[in-house]
Amino acid sequence: MHFRVAAIIIAGFSTIFVAFGIRYSYGVLLPEMLSSMAISNTEGGIIYSSYFLTYTLGSPVLGLMVDRTNARIILTVFVALLGIGAGLMATASTVFHASLFFAIAGLGHSACWAPVVTIVMRWVSQQRRGILLSVVDLGSASSIAFWSIMIPIIIIPFDWRMVWIFLGLVALMSAGMNFFFIKDRPPATTKPTQPGTTVEKRSTSIRDTYRTIFSDRKFHLIALSYLMISFSILIPFTFLTAYGIQKLHIPYSSAAILIAVIGISGAVGKLILGYVSDKVGRVRIMMLCSVLVGAGGLGMALVQNFSLLVISTIVFGAGYGTIWPQYAASARDLFSEEHSGSVIGLWTLYHGLGSMLAPVIAGWSIDATGSYFWAFIMTIASAVFSMLLLLPALGSNNSKNIFLKG
């Protein structure tokens, strides 16, 4: 049992490592793609939004499927699809082609969050859920740091297209790991099949599941909070590197390091605040993360010095790195096990909508004003709104953790 838990955590870490590496490497590669493909910031934002369009459409479906089908097959097939889409990005020559290929990658990524955290939560105890989900989600922060350092190294002898090939190959290797390491449920929770009743029960439970979820007010509050923090976070990930190069006139390798700083500070914040969340409650930590993201955005909007920008990036990264596993853990704490994957998948609709809108709106504001200031102001405003949406949930229970309801 312990070996299987370790294998699942490793596979989950690997899946998130490659998924978020592909997802956030786009912002690091964007300055090179803008000049090479002769496209505007708005067009660059459209390409990025195509990724989140298919990611958003696929996530609730896969969140529901992982509650009812074999998670190993889902994580193998869709992570392979993620790799294929990333590899095809190396051949893109127009905005249309890049959008199409990145949409394929986004569809693959739709299996790399809700199914992963759902499987992990099945295999770990409630008392260790916050910290172990943070360990698995450490794959995102470490991936961001790793690829932000590696991308300039790869680009120097090759170009940005070779980076996409590398990312695609790593995703295909991760898909193979999922096939061998993932097991759907612990033996004690595997439910026996009753002939003649399974199909009918599952078909009706889908309707009942959504009725139960949508009738809960906290589901909607947290979903809207998720949307706003997703919008907030994606703006720096898309344009911070370009801002450093175009406005602060720093070298490409130094600008890429800013994204690595987000990954490193995110990893530290994830482990520390993930542990604290098991003690003081998810909502308090989620609100703190919104404050950190907004404070980081404020620094990005105001500072004109690289050293101060690094400090702002550290603050932003601590909030970013912690926030995602907190939302996932709150879903399992608030809803029953058989609904948790569906809840995370539905929340991902809101996450995807915020992520889809952010690069296009922020890119348009940059093209229209010639400044990155208003883009970073949007980071601040949406982070503050995200925090305020969580206030009713914080006050709904006097216990330290409002989500520990069995």
Side-chain angles (χ1 to χ4, degrees):
M1 179 71 75
H2 293 301
F3 169 78
R4 178 59 64 182
V5 171
I8 286 172
I9 289 174
I10 291 170
F13 177 94
S14 170
T15 298
I16 290 178
F17 180 92
V18 69
F20 283 85
I22 290 171
R23 174 169 165 168
Y24 289 129
S25 289
Y26 181 84
V28 181
L29 292 168
L30 183 60
E32 295 289 317
M33 294 175 64
L34 290 175
S35 58
S36 174
M37 298 176 65
I39 58 177
S40 66
N41 286 290
T42 305
E43 289 172 319
I46 290 171
I47 295 171
Y48 210 2
S49 292
S50 70
Y51 183 96
F52 290 101
L53 174 63
T54 52
Y55 170 78
T56 302
L57 295 175
S59 291
V61 177
L62 290 165
L64 187 64
M65 286 176 62
V66 78
D67 288 333
R68 293 165 170 77
T69 58
N70 191 306
R72 183 180 71 163
I73 300 303
I74 291 174
L75 288 170
T76 300
V77 171
F78 280 85
V79 174
L81 193 64
L82 172 69
I84 291 169
L88 287 172
M89 283 291 285
T91 69
S93 57
T94 66
V95 172
F96 173 78
H97 288 137
S99 298
L100 176 62
F101 299 149
F102 219 31
I104 295 172
L107 181 60
H109 190 181
S110 63
C112 298
W113 179 242
V116 170
V117 298
T118 301
I119 289 297
V120 172
M121 287 189 291
R122 287 175 185 167
W123 285 82
V124 302
S125 67
Q126 180 172 297
Q127 291 74 21
R128 303 176 65 195
R129 187 170 295 140
I131 185 61
L132 288 178
L133 276 178
S134 293
V135 169
V136 171
D137 192 53
L138 192 61
S140 62
S142 59
S143 177
I144 292 165
F146 176 81
W147 287 109
S148 298
I149 294 170
M150 289 300 300
I151 285 172
I153 296 174
I154 297 172
I155 282 180
I156 290 173
F158 302 105
D159 61 9
W160 61 270
R161 298 180 187 274
M162 183 59 67
V163 176
W164 288 119
I165 293 174
F166 273 101
L167 288 165
L169 291 174
V170 173
L172 292 175
M173 288 189 288
S174 181
M177 184 180 295
N178 286 337
F179 181 79
F180 290 107
F181 281 15
I182 294 293
K183 184 174 175 62
D184 201 50
R185 295 177 185 272
T189 63
T190 302
K191 301 177 181 179
T193 301
Q194 298 180 4
T197 63
T198 302
V199 174
E200 181 180 357
K201 183 176 180 181
R202 286 183 175 179
S203 64
T204 57
S205 67
I206 295 174
R207 183 177 64 253
D208 293 339
T209 294
Y210 285 143
R211 182 183 295 117
T212 300
I213 292 171
F214 286 122
S215 65
D216 194 316
R217 178 170 174 262
K218 284 192 290 293
F219 167 81
H220 298 286
L221 287 172
I222 297 172
L224 289 173
S225 174
Y226 207 176
L227 186 155
M228 297 309 300
I229 199 65
S230 301
F231 183 97
S232 181
I233 282 172
L234 202 70
I235 293 172
F237 268 111
T238 308
F239 295 110
L240 185 58
T241 302
Y243 169 69
I245 294 171
Q246 296 178 6
K247 297 301 179 181
L248 300 187
H249 306 293
I250 59 177
Y252 177 76
S253 57
S254 298
I257 287 295
L258 291 171
I259 305 300
V261 169
I262 293 176
I264 294 168
S265 62
V268 175
K270 196 186 304 291
L271 293 176
I272 295 174
L273 295 180
Y275 174 78
V276 173
S277 75
D278 288 332
K279 309 297 182 183
V280 304
R282 318 292 180 203
V283 173
R284 287 182 174 86
I285 298 301
M286 288 153 67
M287 293 177 69
L288 174 60
C289 290
S290 294
V291 172
L292 292 173
V293 168
L298 179 63
M300 294 172 191
L302 297 179
V303 304
Q304 299 293 318
N305 177 276
F306 179 69
S307 298
L308 293 177
L309 184 60
V310 170
I311 295 173
S312 301
T313 303
I314 291 172
V315 174
F316 173 88
Y320 151 78
T322 309
I323 195 71
W324 308 129
Q326 295 307 305
Y327 277 97
S330 72
R332 180 60 185 89
D333 291 340
L334 179 59
F335 293 90
S336 62
E337 178 186 347
E338 61 267 25
H339 293 166
S340 60
S342 300
V343 170
I344 296 169
L346 288 168
W347 279 348
T348 305
L349 273 174
Y350 294 81
H351 165 64
L353 179 60
S355 300
M356 195 163 39
L357 292 173
V360 176
I361 295 174
W364 173 83
S365 75
I366 294 166
D367 289 336
T369 65
S371 168
Y372 289 81
F373 176 80
W374 292 108
F376 293 133
I377 289 296
M378 285 188 276
T379 291
I380 303 165
S382 55
V384 170
F385 193 23
S386 176
M387 181 196 67
L388 294 176
L389 284 165
L390 293 172
L391 282 172
L394 181 65
S396 66
N397 193 305
N398 292 326
S399 64
K400 283 187 177 181
N401 193 338
I402 71 165
F403 286 122
L404 296 181
K405 298 184 179 179

